[in-house]
Amino acid sequence: HMSTEALADFRKSLAQSTGSLSKSLAILSGSEENSALSSAIAQLSTVHEKIEQIHYEQATADFYYLSELIKDYIGLVGAVKDVFQERVKAWQACQTLSMSLNKKREAKVKAELNQRLDKVQVLRQEIVDLERQQEMAKDNFDRISRQIKKEVELFDMRKAKDFKKSIVKYLENMLKSQEKISAQWERYLPEVQQISI
């Protein structure tokens, strides 16, 4: 994202430099004594003025079509990471309940061996409660996992399609800009070639 922002900034700087060159050429054309050369320099100034505008347009496209696209994509990837973190929390809850259940079962076995029937009854109830909680936690984990899988598949499909569409639009815009620049030079070249010094 920083690179695409830097690209847009660079292109704005290029547009500003092209505009400065255009102004300098306009001043130079006014001081040239040879009228044909003065005219050619003035036309060169005009070409650079038009190219300046094209560079500004491309800088805007760099920002909106590319940089903002990347920024949005990074934000979406961050949201996906957050969703996966929720899945991890659900898994950890399931594992914690599983460990608690194992400890209660071990405690129940010890209580049975020590003939502590009052404690055995309490531990049985706690084990039943933990088994129910563990089953609910496992169901929650499985539900979250299924939902994440479904959402990530949709995300991949939609974002890949949107990303491709935006990149194609950006490239088409860039191609049009280059064609405009090329057209400016193609119009100017015959003018310069006809100058006799």
Side-chain angles (χ1 to χ4, degrees):
H1 181 244
M2 288 177 5
S3 296
T4 56
E5 282 186 331
L7 174 66
D9 290 342
F10 170 76
R11 205 163 318 251
K12 282 180 190 172
S13 176
L14 177 61
Q16 290 168 349
S17 297
T18 304
S20 295
L21 177 60
S22 172
K23 289 177 180 112
S24 297
L25 288 169
I27 292 169
L28 180 62
S29 72
S31 64
E32 178 57 48
E33 293 177 13
N34 182 323
S35 62
L37 186 55
S38 175
S39 174
I41 295 172
Q43 288 174 358
L44 182 59
S45 172
T46 303
V47 168
H48 279 290
E49 186 178 331
K50 290 177 182 175
I51 291 174
E52 172 191 17
Q53 187 58 41
I54 295 167
H55 286 316
Y56 273 122
E57 290 168 6
Q58 187 59 48
T60 301
D62 290 341
F63 182 76
Y64 288 110
Y65 294 140
L66 191 60
S67 186
E68 287 298 300
L69 171 71
I70 299 293
K71 181 180 177 183
D72 290 346
Y73 202 77
I74 289 169
L76 289 170
V77 169
V80 169
K81 285 172 62 176
D82 291 344
V83 168
F84 277 116
Q85 189 60 37
E86 289 302 314
R87 182 176 181 264
V88 168
K89 287 179 187 175
W91 172 252
Q92 289 171 341
C94 196
Q95 292 302 308
T96 300
L97 286 168
S98 180
M99 289 189 311
S100 295
L101 185 60
N102 287 338
K103 287 180 183 176
K104 293 291 180 182
R105 286 179 178 153
E106 289 171 5
K108 181 182 152 247
V109 169
K110 285 182 184 178
E112 287 173 343
L113 290 174
N114 291 333
Q115 303 276 326
R116 298 197 54 203
L117 296 179
D118 57 329
K119 188 157 182 147
V120 169
Q121 192 59 28
V122 170
L123 288 169
R124 276 188 186 142
Q125 185 57 44
E126 288 176 358
I127 289 171
V128 168
D129 290 343
L130 282 173
E131 285 174 340
R132 184 178 43 77
Q133 289 176 17
Q134 183 186 32
E135 190 61 35
M136 287 172 47
K138 186 171 181 348
D139 288 345
N140 185 47
F141 173 76
D142 291 342
R143 182 183 51 77
I144 288 172
S145 295
R146 282 190 307 273
Q147 189 64 32
I148 286 174
K149 183 177 180 184
K150 179 180 161 186
E151 291 296 325
V152 167
E153 286 172 355
L154 284 171
F155 171 80
D156 281 345
M157 193 168 61
R158 277 193 216 129
K159 285 316 299 170
K161 191 176 184 180
D162 290 346
F163 196 79
K164 178 184 175 188
K165 183 178 172 183
S166 294
I167 291 295
V168 166
K169 188 173 184 177
Y170 171 73
L171 292 174
E172 287 171 346
N173 187 288
M174 186 182 267
L175 179 62
K176 287 177 186 173
S177 292
Q178 295 305 313
E179 287 172 346
K180 288 178 185 176
I181 290 171
S182 178
Q184 290 298 320
W185 290 117
E186 286 173 357
R187 279 194 290 274
Y188 178 68
L189 183 61
E191 301 278 336
V192 164
Q193 288 173 335
Q194 292 178 3
I195 296 174
S196 58
I197 297 178

